[in-house]
Amino acid sequence: MKKGLILLLLLVSSISFSQIVIKGSVVSERNEPLEGASVYFNNTTKGTITNAEGKFELKIKEGYYTLVISFLGYATKQLLITPQSKNKNLHITLKEDSSVLNEVVIRKTIYDDNWKYNLTRFKQTFLGRTKLAQTCKIVNEKDLHFEYSTKTNTLTAFARKPLTIKHQGLGYIITYDLVDFTLKEDRLFFSGFARYKNLRKNIRRKWKQNRLEAYNGSQMHFLRSLTSKKLKEDGFVVNQFKRVPNSDRPSEEKIKFAREFFKLYSRSVNLSKKITHPKTTLDSVIVTLQKAKLPKYRDYLYQKNVPYEDIITYDNKTPYLSFKDYLMVIYTQEPEEENYVIGMFGKRRKANGVQTSNIVLLEGKAQIDIQGVLMNPEAVFNEGYWGFEAFANMLPLDYQPTKN
């Protein structure tokens, strides 16, 4: 009995030691307590509201988080929480929100076919096209507003109120405060603050299974496997490749000239005509336009099974994703979804039976948090399968896979 009591005390001590306890109060600029202010750790299920005295208390596993504090009529505030922040008492002052977020645009928004088209593009890129994306519903769609620039082919979206997303597939109700959404050609960047809540107190078995499937092979899974050095046993293969300009594709100047010349040519032209040796300017234009369809770059694989030291580096025990050129991450335990194989425009590609993603470093290196996420998600760009898996397949930072 004594041994069991000692073991229990050690366990309790270990659990409390691994947690951060954040206490504090939220007040206005007049130092008045704000009752009902929302306080939560971004992208987690950990959150609360302030009491009549404006006070709150939260506990979470040690790590790096963004604490988000919001209250209607006040500007949202964010605070970085680190392992050194534990047991601190925070005094947070919110300022009244004097901004009029595109008030004129919002008043003029017409929910016509153009708005519906932009909404469809928003949902396809933000939520994604996976099976789980089909189980998501944005409850307050009409709080979304769009602007499109034909000059830059850029779609931007903003929302006056946080989006409420009912995720029937994963069993969450997600409040998402959209900060930025920019879709430029085929590149998407979005950011915001998310708070996850379980749809029900008792989590259904199907939700547990879906959450595990969403986790398996994800970037979070990969980064956790990388930092724990379990890539192979977790089903990951990492290769390295270079990306160089495709010498078979004409230059942009030649392509531009060919398109302008073709516009001026009055009579019908067969662009599928096979021309081995161009004899006229028109022949050269046809060849150029045919080759313009070739990819701009070619990828050359030069290392398989990249060692850990070529992927991850440490600075004062802080892990960083750091590598040369590009990484190809293959998850061998699950095949691609059918929608990925078909593609955005219905052009079916060859199914590989594995999930392949490419990682492009945009800032030289990217810090990895102990939860298995990047401190700055904009430091990398994901191609392939991770690019296909959008917001609907994301899990809260405090998610831990169930063990069989």
Side-chain angles (χ1 to χ4, degrees), residues 336-371:
E336 312 105 314
E337 284 191 20
E338 180 68 11
N339 279 352
Y340 180 73
V341 177
I342 294 174
M344 177 72 83
F345 304 105
K347 188 177 180 180
R348 190 178 185 88
R349 68 185 79 192
K350 182 180 179 181
N352 295 318
V354 295
Q355 299 172 3
T356 303
S357 307
N358 296 333
I359 309 179
V360 183
L361 278 178
L362 302 178
E363 299 181 4
K365 62 179 183 179
Q367 184 179 341
I368 307 171
D369 187 22
I370 57 177
Q371 291 103 319

PDB file of all heavy atoms in Angstrom, residues 336-371:
ATOM      1  N   GLU A 336      -3.620   7.429 -51.150  1.00  0.00           N
ATOM      2  CA  GLU A 336      -4.241   8.740 -51.357  1.00  0.00           C
ATOM      3  C   GLU A 336      -5.760   8.580 -51.434  1.00  0.00           C
ATOM      4  O   GLU A 336      -6.260   7.530 -51.804  1.00  0.00           O
ATOM      5  CB  GLU A 336      -3.770   9.391 -52.666  1.00  0.00           C
ATOM      6  CG  GLU A 336      -2.276   9.365 -52.878  1.00  0.00           C
ATOM      7  CD  GLU A 336      -1.865   8.343 -53.908  1.00  0.00           C
ATOM      8  OE1 GLU A 336      -2.361   7.184 -53.842  1.00  0.00           O
ATOM      9  OE2 GLU A 336      -1.065   8.704 -54.791  1.00  0.00           O
ATOM     10  N   GLU A 337      -6.443   9.665 -51.095  1.00  0.00           N
ATOM     11  CA  GLU A 337      -7.895   9.679 -51.278  1.00  0.00           C
ATOM     12  C   GLU A 337      -8.226   9.791 -52.764  1.00  0.00           C
ATOM     13  O   GLU A 337      -7.439  10.307 -53.559  1.00  0.00           O
ATOM     14  CB  GLU A 337      -8.526  10.865 -50.529  1.00  0.00           C
ATOM     15  CG  GLU A 337      -8.629  10.663 -49.037  1.00  0.00           C
ATOM     16  CD  GLU A 337      -9.498  11.732 -48.381  1.00  0.00           C
ATOM     17  OE1 GLU A 337     -10.300  12.365 -49.089  1.00  0.00           O
ATOM     18  OE2 GLU A 337      -9.365  11.933 -47.167  1.00  0.00           O
ATOM     19  N   GLU A 338      -9.416   9.345 -53.121  1.00  0.00           N
ATOM     20  CA  GLU A 338      -9.851   9.364 -54.516  1.00  0.00           C
ATOM     21  C   GLU A 338      -9.866  10.788 -55.082  1.00  0.00           C
ATOM     22  O   GLU A 338      -9.482  11.011 -56.228  1.00  0.00           O
ATOM     23  CB  GLU A 338     -11.242   8.733 -54.632  1.00  0.00           C
ATOM     24  CG  GLU A 338     -11.804   8.704 -56.038  1.00  0.00           C
ATOM     25  CD  GLU A 338     -11.056   7.768 -56.981  1.00  0.00           C
ATOM     26  OE1 GLU A 338     -10.208   6.966 -56.509  1.00  0.00           O
ATOM     27  OE2 GLU A 338     -11.317   7.842 -58.197  1.00  0.00           O
ATOM     28  N   ASN A 339     -10.311  11.767 -54.277  1.00  0.00           N
ATOM     29  CA  ASN A 339     -10.364  13.152 -54.757  1.00  0.00           C
ATOM     30  C   ASN A 339      -8.988  13.695 -55.101  1.00  0.00           C
ATOM     31  O   ASN A 339      -8.844  14.550 -55.980  1.00  0.00           O
ATOM     32  CB  ASN A 339     -11.024  14.049 -53.711  1.00  0.00           C
ATOM     33  CG  ASN A 339     -12.535  13.967 -53.761  1.00  0.00           C
ATOM     34  OD1 ASN A 339     -13.090  13.358 -54.655  1.00  0.00           O
ATOM     35  ND2 ASN A 339     -13.195  14.572 -52.790  1.00  0.00           N
ATOM     36  N   TYR A 340      -7.966  13.227 -54.409  1.00  0.00           N
ATOM     37  CA  TYR A 340      -6.598  13.656 -54.718  1.00  0.00           C
ATOM     38  C   TYR A 340      -6.143  13.058 -56.035  1.00  0.00           C
ATOM     39  O   TYR A 340      -5.492  13.721 -56.842  1.00  0.00           O
ATOM     40  CB  TYR A 340      -5.656  13.237 -53.598  1.00  0.00           C
ATOM     41  CG  TYR A 340      -4.211  13.639 -53.846  1.00  0.00           C
ATOM     42  CD1 TYR A 340      -3.810  14.966 -53.740  1.00  0.00           C
ATOM     43  CD2 TYR A 340      -3.251  12.688 -54.192  1.00  0.00           C
ATOM     44  CE1 TYR A 340      -2.496  15.351 -53.976  1.00  0.00           C
ATOM     45  CE2 TYR A 340      -1.937  13.057 -54.428  1.00  0.00           C
ATOM     46  CZ  TYR A 340      -1.564  14.382 -54.318  1.00  0.00           C
ATOM     47  OH  TYR A 340      -0.262  14.758 -54.553  1.00  0.00           O
ATOM     48  N   VAL A 341      -6.496  11.800 -56.261  1.00  0.00           N
ATOM     49  CA  VAL A 341      -6.108  11.117 -57.499  1.00  0.00           C
ATOM     50  C   VAL A 341      -6.785  11.780 -58.693  1.00  0.00           C
ATOM     51  O   VAL A 341      -6.181  11.969 -59.748  1.00  0.00           O
ATOM     52  CB  VAL A 341      -6.467   9.616 -57.424  1.00  0.00           C
ATOM     53  CG1 VAL A 341      -6.131   8.923 -58.746  1.00  0.00           C
ATOM     54  CG2 VAL A 341      -5.713   8.943 -56.277  1.00  0.00           C
ATOM     55  N   ILE A 342      -8.056  12.144 -58.518  1.00  0.00           N
ATOM     56  CA  ILE A 342      -8.798  12.784 -59.612  1.00  0.00           C
ATOM     57  C   ILE A 342      -8.252  14.172 -59.906  1.00  0.00           C
ATOM     58  O   ILE A 342      -8.135  14.585 -61.055  1.00  0.00           O
ATOM     59  CB  ILE A 342     -10.303  12.862 -59.261  1.00  0.00           C
ATOM     60  CG1 ILE A 342     -10.897  11.449 -59.196  1.00  0.00           C
ATOM     61  CG2 ILE A 342     -11.059  13.710 -60.271  1.00  0.00           C
ATOM     62  CD1 ILE A 342     -12.324  11.412 -58.713  1.00  0.00           C
ATOM     63  N   GLY A 343      -7.897  14.937 -58.865  1.00  0.00           N
ATOM     64  CA  GLY A 343      -7.355  16.276 -59.067  1.00  0.00           C
ATOM     65  C   GLY A 343      -8.448  17.332 -59.079  1.00  0.00           C
ATOM     66  O   GLY A 343      -9.641  17.032 -59.197  1.00  0.00           O
ATOM     67  N   MET A 344      -8.030  18.596 -58.960  1.00  0.00           N
ATOM     68  CA  MET A 344      -8.954  19.718 -58.865  1.00  0.00           C
ATOM     69  C   MET A 344      -9.838  19.849 -60.100  1.00  0.00           C
ATOM     70  O   MET A 344     -11.017  20.182 -60.018  1.00  0.00           O
ATOM     71  CB  MET A 344      -8.165  21.010 -58.646  1.00  0.00           C
ATOM     72  CG  MET A 344      -8.999  22.271 -58.610  1.00  0.00           C
ATOM     73  SD  MET A 344      -9.979  22.445 -57.114  1.00  0.00           S
ATOM     74  CE  MET A 344      -8.736  23.133 -56.003  1.00  0.00           C
ATOM     75  N   PHE A 345      -9.265  19.586 -61.272  1.00  0.00           N
ATOM     76  CA  PHE A 345      -9.994  19.803 -62.521  1.00  0.00           C
ATOM     77  C   PHE A 345     -10.421  18.502 -63.197  1.00  0.00           C
ATOM     78  O   PHE A 345     -10.652  18.454 -64.402  1.00  0.00           O
ATOM     79  CB  PHE A 345      -9.136  20.639 -63.476  1.00  0.00           C
ATOM     80  CG  PHE A 345      -8.703  21.953 -62.873  1.00  0.00           C
ATOM     81  CD1 PHE A 345      -7.399  22.122 -62.435  1.00  0.00           C
ATOM     82  CD2 PHE A 345      -9.612  22.980 -62.719  1.00  0.00           C
ATOM     83  CE1 PHE A 345      -7.000  23.325 -61.869  1.00  0.00           C
ATOM     84  CE2 PHE A 345      -9.230  24.186 -62.155  1.00  0.00           C
ATOM     85  CZ  PHE A 345      -7.910  24.362 -61.729  1.00  0.00           C
ATOM     86  N   GLY A 346     -10.505  17.435 -62.412  1.00  0.00           N
ATOM     87  CA  GLY A 346     -11.001  16.170 -62.937  1.00  0.00           C
ATOM     88  C   GLY A 346     -10.007  15.403 -63.780  1.00  0.00           C
ATOM     89  O   GLY A 346     -10.371  14.439 -64.445  1.00  0.00           O
ATOM     90  N   LYS A 347      -8.738  15.840 -63.758  1.00  0.00           N
ATOM     91  CA  LYS A 347      -7.711  15.141 -64.532  1.00  0.00           C
ATOM     92  C   LYS A 347      -7.067  14.073 -63.652  1.00  0.00           C
ATOM     93  O   LYS A 347      -6.280  14.371 -62.767  1.00  0.00           O
ATOM     94  CB  LYS A 347      -6.653  16.130 -65.027  1.00  0.00           C
ATOM     95  CG  LYS A 347      -5.657  15.509 -65.990  1.00  0.00           C
ATOM     96  CD  LYS A 347      -4.668  16.550 -66.507  1.00  0.00           C
ATOM     97  CE  LYS A 347      -3.672  15.927 -67.461  1.00  0.00           C
ATOM     98  NZ  LYS A 347      -2.697  16.921 -67.972  1.00  0.00           N
ATOM     99  N   ARG A 348      -7.432  12.853 -63.879  1.00  0.00           N
ATOM    100  CA  ARG A 348      -6.990  11.756 -63.018  1.00  0.00           C
ATOM    101  C   ARG A 348      -5.501  11.486 -63.186  1.00  0.00           C
ATOM    102  O   ARG A 348      -4.983  11.420 -64.294  1.00  0.00           O
ATOM    103  CB  ARG A 348      -7.791  10.480 -63.359  1.00  0.00           C
ATOM    104  CG  ARG A 348      -7.588   9.356 -62.366  1.00  0.00           C
ATOM    105  CD  ARG A 348      -8.435   8.149 -62.719  1.00  0.00           C
ATOM    106  NE  ARG A 348      -8.332   7.130 -61.701  1.00  0.00           N
ATOM    107  CZ  ARG A 348      -9.097   7.075 -60.633  1.00  0.00           C
ATOM    108  NH1 ARG A 348     -10.031   7.990 -60.469  1.00  0.00           N
ATOM    109  NH2 ARG A 348      -8.953   6.119 -59.728  1.00  0.00           N
ATOM    110  N   ARG A 349      -4.830  11.357 -62.060  1.00  0.00           N
ATOM    111  CA  ARG A 349      -3.408  11.022 -62.082  1.00  0.00           C
ATOM    112  C   ARG A 349      -3.226   9.564 -61.662  1.00  0.00           C
ATOM    113  O   ARG A 349      -4.153   8.938 -61.158  1.00  0.00           O
ATOM    114  CB  ARG A 349      -2.636  11.950 -61.141  1.00  0.00           C
ATOM    115  CG  ARG A 349      -2.944  11.756 -59.675  1.00  0.00           C
ATOM    116  CD  ARG A 349      -2.228  12.782 -58.825  1.00  0.00           C
ATOM    117  NE  ARG A 349      -2.932  14.061 -58.878  1.00  0.00           N
ATOM    118  CZ  ARG A 349      -2.412  15.194 -58.415  1.00  0.00           C
ATOM    119  NH1 ARG A 349      -1.194  15.207 -57.920  1.00  0.00           N
ATOM    120  NH2 ARG A 349      -3.110  16.309 -58.460  1.00  0.00           N
ATOM    121  N   LYS A 350      -2.051   9.077 -61.830  1.00  0.00           N
ATOM    122  CA  LYS A 350      -1.775   7.685 -61.474  1.00  0.00           C
ATOM    123  C   LYS A 350      -1.722   7.548 -59.953  1.00  0.00           C
ATOM    124  O   LYS A 350      -1.017   8.281 -59.268  1.00  0.00           O
ATOM    125  CB  LYS A 350      -0.437   7.249 -62.080  1.00  0.00           C
ATOM    126  CG  LYS A 350      -0.102   5.792 -61.806  1.00  0.00           C
ATOM    127  CD  LYS A 350       1.242   5.413 -62.422  1.00  0.00           C
ATOM    128  CE  LYS A 350       1.575   3.961 -62.112  1.00  0.00           C
ATOM    129  NZ  LYS A 350       2.894   3.571 -62.676  1.00  0.00           N
ATOM    130  N   ALA A 351      -2.489   6.600 -59.417  1.00  0.00           N
ATOM    131  CA  ALA A 351      -2.489   6.356 -57.970  1.00  0.00           C
ATOM    132  C   ALA A 351      -1.219   5.612 -57.581  1.00  0.00           C
ATOM    133  O   ALA A 351      -0.834   4.632 -58.230  1.00  0.00           O
ATOM    134  CB  ALA A 351      -3.714   5.551 -57.583  1.00  0.00           C
ATOM    135  N   ASN A 352      -0.566   6.074 -56.526  1.00  0.00           N
ATOM    136  CA  ASN A 352       0.703   5.473 -56.098  1.00  0.00           C
ATOM    137  C   ASN A 352       0.552   4.530 -54.914  1.00  0.00           C
ATOM    138  O   ASN A 352       1.482   3.796 -54.584  1.00  0.00           O
ATOM    139  CB  ASN A 352       1.708   6.576 -55.740  1.00  0.00           C
ATOM    140  CG  ASN A 352       2.087   7.425 -56.942  1.00  0.00           C
ATOM    141  OD1 ASN A 352       2.301   6.905 -58.022  1.00  0.00           O
ATOM    142  ND2 ASN A 352       2.140   8.736 -56.747  1.00  0.00           N
ATOM    143  N   GLY A 353      -0.605   4.588 -54.246  1.00  0.00           N
ATOM    144  CA  GLY A 353      -0.794   3.720 -53.083  1.00  0.00           C
ATOM    145  C   GLY A 353      -0.147   4.248 -51.821  1.00  0.00           C
ATOM    146  O   GLY A 353      -0.257   3.629 -50.757  1.00  0.00           O
ATOM    147  N   VAL A 354       0.544   5.391 -51.920  1.00  0.00           N
ATOM    148  CA  VAL A 354       1.160   6.038 -50.755  1.00  0.00           C
ATOM    149  C   VAL A 354       0.868   7.536 -50.846  1.00  0.00           C
ATOM    150  O   VAL A 354       0.447   8.034 -51.890  1.00  0.00           O
ATOM    151  CB  VAL A 354       2.693   5.802 -50.707  1.00  0.00           C
ATOM    152  CG1 VAL A 354       3.025   4.335 -50.512  1.00  0.00           C
ATOM    153  CG2 VAL A 354       3.363   6.331 -51.982  1.00  0.00           C
ATOM    154  N   GLN A 355       1.080   8.240 -49.760  1.00  0.00           N
ATOM    155  CA  GLN A 355       0.850   9.684 -49.723  1.00  0.00           C
ATOM    156  C   GLN A 355       2.192  10.409 -49.812  1.00  0.00           C
ATOM    157  O   GLN A 355       3.051  10.238 -48.957  1.00  0.00           O
ATOM    158  CB  GLN A 355       0.120  10.073 -48.437  1.00  0.00           C
ATOM    159  CG  GLN A 355      -1.245   9.425 -48.311  1.00  0.00           C
ATOM    160  CD  GLN A 355      -1.884   9.652 -46.954  1.00  0.00           C
ATOM    161  OE1 GLN A 355      -1.343  10.340 -46.103  1.00  0.00           O
ATOM    162  NE2 GLN A 355      -3.064   9.071 -46.751  1.00  0.00           N
ATOM    163  N   THR A 356       2.367  11.214 -50.852  1.00  0.00           N
ATOM    164  CA  THR A 356       3.634  11.889 -51.088  1.00  0.00           C
ATOM    165  C   THR A 356       3.466  13.401 -50.993  1.00  0.00           C
ATOM    166  O   THR A 356       2.602  13.981 -51.654  1.00  0.00           O
ATOM    167  CB  THR A 356       4.197  11.529 -52.478  1.00  0.00           C
ATOM    168  OG1 THR A 356       4.347  10.109 -52.567  1.00  0.00           O
ATOM    169  CG2 THR A 356       5.560  12.188 -52.687  1.00  0.00           C
ATOM    170  N   SER A 357       4.289  14.027 -50.156  1.00  0.00           N
ATOM    171  CA  SER A 357       4.268  15.477 -49.974  1.00  0.00           C
ATOM    172  C   SER A 357       5.666  16.041 -50.139  1.00  0.00           C
ATOM    173  O   SER A 357       6.656  15.363 -49.846  1.00  0.00           O
ATOM    174  CB  SER A 357       3.747  15.844 -48.575  1.00  0.00           C
ATOM    175  OG  SER A 357       2.508  15.228 -48.308  1.00  0.00           O
ATOM    176  N   ASN A 358       5.744  17.267 -50.624  1.00  0.00           N
ATOM    177  CA  ASN A 358       7.026  17.965 -50.740  1.00  0.00           C
ATOM    178  C   ASN A 358       7.060  19.142 -49.771  1.00  0.00           C
ATOM    179  O   ASN A 358       6.051  19.826 -49.588  1.00  0.00           O
ATOM    180  CB  ASN A 358       7.250  18.488 -52.154  1.00  0.00           C
ATOM    181  CG  ASN A 358       7.346  17.370 -53.177  1.00  0.00           C
ATOM    182  OD1 ASN A 358       7.729  16.248 -52.863  1.00  0.00           O
ATOM    183  ND2 ASN A 358       6.970  17.671 -54.404  1.00  0.00           N
ATOM    184  N   ILE A 359       8.220  19.367 -49.167  1.00  0.00           N
ATOM    185  CA  ILE A 359       8.396  20.501 -48.261  1.00  0.00           C
ATOM    186  C   ILE A 359       9.388  21.471 -48.872  1.00  0.00           C
ATOM    187  O   ILE A 359      10.501  21.082 -49.254  1.00  0.00           O
ATOM    188  CB  ILE A 359       8.920  20.069 -46.881  1.00  0.00           C
ATOM    189  CG1 ILE A 359       8.081  18.937 -46.297  1.00  0.00           C
ATOM    190  CG2 ILE A 359       8.927  21.254 -45.917  1.00  0.00           C
ATOM    191  CD1 ILE A 359       8.577  18.455 -44.949  1.00  0.00           C
ATOM    192  N   VAL A 360       8.987  22.729 -48.943  1.00  0.00           N
ATOM    193  CA  VAL A 360       9.854  23.795 -49.443  1.00  0.00           C
ATOM    194  C   VAL A 360      10.105  24.769 -48.294  1.00  0.00           C
ATOM    195  O   VAL A 360       9.150  25.312 -47.729  1.00  0.00           O
ATOM    196  CB  VAL A 360       9.196  24.539 -50.630  1.00  0.00           C
ATOM    197  CG1 VAL A 360      10.152  25.593 -51.187  1.00  0.00           C
ATOM    198  CG2 VAL A 360       8.768  23.562 -51.707  1.00  0.00           C
ATOM    199  N   LEU A 361      11.349  24.973 -47.924  1.00  0.00           N
ATOM    200  CA  LEU A 361      11.678  25.947 -46.886  1.00  0.00           C
ATOM    201  C   LEU A 361      11.718  27.337 -47.498  1.00  0.00           C
ATOM    202  O   LEU A 361      12.422  27.577 -48.475  1.00  0.00           O
ATOM    203  CB  LEU A 361      13.034  25.632 -46.246  1.00  0.00           C
ATOM    204  CG  LEU A 361      13.067  24.571 -45.141  1.00  0.00           C
ATOM    205  CD1 LEU A 361      14.498  24.352 -44.663  1.00  0.00           C
ATOM    206  CD2 LEU A 361      12.191  24.967 -43.968  1.00  0.00           C
ATOM    207  N   LEU A 362      10.970  28.273 -46.921  1.00  0.00           N
ATOM    208  CA  LEU A 362      10.915  29.637 -47.444  1.00  0.00           C
ATOM    209  C   LEU A 362      11.817  30.595 -46.679  1.00  0.00           C
ATOM    210  O   LEU A 362      12.118  31.682 -47.164  1.00  0.00           O
ATOM    211  CB  LEU A 362       9.473  30.159 -47.402  1.00  0.00           C
ATOM    212  CG  LEU A 362       8.434  29.339 -48.181  1.00  0.00           C
ATOM    213  CD1 LEU A 362       7.054  29.951 -48.015  1.00  0.00           C
ATOM    214  CD2 LEU A 362       8.808  29.245 -49.651  1.00  0.00           C
ATOM    215  N   GLU A 363      12.242  30.201 -45.482  1.00  0.00           N
ATOM    216  CA  GLU A 363      13.048  31.092 -44.652  1.00  0.00           C
ATOM    217  C   GLU A 363      14.329  30.438 -44.138  1.00  0.00           C
ATOM    218  O   GLU A 363      14.848  30.804 -43.091  1.00  0.00           O
ATOM    219  CB  GLU A 363      12.205  31.597 -43.473  1.00  0.00           C
ATOM    220  CG  GLU A 363      10.984  32.396 -43.904  1.00  0.00           C
ATOM    221  CD  GLU A 363      10.169  32.911 -42.721  1.00  0.00           C
ATOM    222  OE1 GLU A 363      10.607  32.695 -41.561  1.00  0.00           O
ATOM    223  OE2 GLU A 363       9.127  33.538 -42.952  1.00  0.00           O
ATOM    224  N   GLY A 364      14.836  29.446 -44.859  1.00  0.00           N
ATOM    225  CA  GLY A 364      16.098  28.825 -44.466  1.00  0.00           C
ATOM    226  C   GLY A 364      15.938  27.712 -43.454  1.00  0.00           C
ATOM    227  O   GLY A 364      16.504  26.630 -43.609  1.00  0.00           O
ATOM    228  N   LYS A 365      15.144  27.939 -42.416  1.00  0.00           N
ATOM    229  CA  LYS A 365      14.853  26.914 -41.421  1.00  0.00           C
ATOM    230  C   LYS A 365      13.566  27.282 -40.700  1.00  0.00           C
ATOM    231  O   LYS A 365      13.089  28.415 -40.793  1.00  0.00           O
ATOM    232  CB  LYS A 365      16.012  26.762 -40.423  1.00  0.00           C
ATOM    233  CG  LYS A 365      16.317  27.994 -39.592  1.00  0.00           C
ATOM    234  CD  LYS A 365      17.467  27.707 -38.639  1.00  0.00           C
ATOM    235  CE  LYS A 365      17.756  28.916 -37.736  1.00  0.00           C
ATOM    236  NZ  LYS A 365      18.853  28.626 -36.784  1.00  0.00           N
ATOM    237  N   ALA A 366      13.006  26.311 -39.983  1.00  0.00           N
ATOM    238  CA  ALA A 366      11.731  26.537 -39.305  1.00  0.00           C
ATOM    239  C   ALA A 366      11.751  25.827 -37.955  1.00  0.00           C
ATOM    240  O   ALA A 366      12.026  24.619 -37.882  1.00  0.00           O
ATOM    241  CB  ALA A 366      10.581  26.021 -40.156  1.00  0.00           C
ATOM    242  N   GLN A 367      11.477  26.567 -36.899  1.00  0.00           N
ATOM    243  CA  GLN A 367      11.508  25.992 -35.557  1.00  0.00           C
ATOM    244  C   GLN A 367      10.336  25.039 -35.336  1.00  0.00           C
ATOM    245  O   GLN A 367       9.207  25.303 -35.738  1.00  0.00           O
ATOM    246  CB  GLN A 367      11.462  27.098 -34.500  1.00  0.00           C
ATOM    247  CG  GLN A 367      11.586  26.582 -33.061  1.00  0.00           C
ATOM    248  CD  GLN A 367      11.562  27.691 -32.032  1.00  0.00           C
ATOM    249  OE1 GLN A 367      11.806  28.850 -32.354  1.00  0.00           O
ATOM    250  NE2 GLN A 367      11.258  27.345 -30.794  1.00  0.00           N
ATOM    251  N   ILE A 368      10.640  23.900 -34.689  1.00  0.00           N
ATOM    252  CA  ILE A 368       9.629  22.888 -34.390  1.00  0.00           C
ATOM    253  C   ILE A 368       9.309  22.926 -32.906  1.00  0.00           C
ATOM    254  O   ILE A 368      10.204  22.851 -32.057  1.00  0.00           O
ATOM    255  CB  ILE A 368      10.120  21.480 -34.771  1.00  0.00           C
ATOM    256  CG1 ILE A 368      10.610  21.447 -36.226  1.00  0.00           C
ATOM    257  CG2 ILE A 368       9.021  20.447 -34.554  1.00  0.00           C
ATOM    258  CD1 ILE A 368      11.310  20.151 -36.602  1.00  0.00           C
ATOM    259  N   ASP A 369       8.028  23.027 -32.569  1.00  0.00           N
ATOM    260  CA  ASP A 369       7.607  22.984 -31.179  1.00  0.00           C
ATOM    261  C   ASP A 369       7.495  21.531 -30.732  1.00  0.00           C
ATOM    262  O   ASP A 369       7.383  20.620 -31.554  1.00  0.00           O
ATOM    263  CB  ASP A 369       6.259  23.702 -31.028  1.00  0.00           C
ATOM    264  CG  ASP A 369       5.848  23.852 -29.573  1.00  0.00           C
ATOM    265  OD1 ASP A 369       6.741  23.801 -28.703  1.00  0.00           O
ATOM    266  OD2 ASP A 369       4.654  24.000 -29.299  1.00  0.00           O
ATOM    267  N   ILE A 370       7.497  21.324 -29.404  1.00  0.00           N
ATOM    268  CA  ILE A 370       7.467  19.958 -28.885  1.00  0.00           C
ATOM    269  C   ILE A 370       6.141  19.253 -29.161  1.00  0.00           C
ATOM    270  O   ILE A 370       6.057  18.038 -29.075  1.00  0.00           O
ATOM    271  CB  ILE A 370       7.767  19.932 -27.368  1.00  0.00           C
ATOM    272  CG1 ILE A 370       6.758  20.823 -26.618  1.00  0.00           C
ATOM    273  CG2 ILE A 370       9.183  20.333 -27.070  1.00  0.00           C
ATOM    274  CD1 ILE A 370       6.945  20.791 -25.115  1.00  0.00           C
ATOM    275  N   GLN A 371       5.084  20.013 -29.508  1.00  0.00           N
ATOM    276  CA  GLN A 371       3.819  19.378 -29.860  1.00  0.00           C
ATOM    277  C   GLN A 371       3.835  18.811 -31.273  1.00  0.00           C
ATOM    278  O   GLN A 371       2.897  18.140 -31.683  1.00  0.00           O
ATOM    279  CB  GLN A 371       2.649  20.377 -29.766  1.00  0.00           C
ATOM    280  CG  GLN A 371       2.325  20.791 -28.357  1.00  0.00           C
ATOM    281  CD  GLN A 371       2.866  22.172 -28.077  1.00  0.00           C
ATOM    282  OE1 GLN A 371       3.972  22.504 -28.473  1.00  0.00           O
ATOM    283  NE2 GLN A 371       2.105  22.980 -27.399  1.00  0.00           N
TER     284      GLN A 371
END
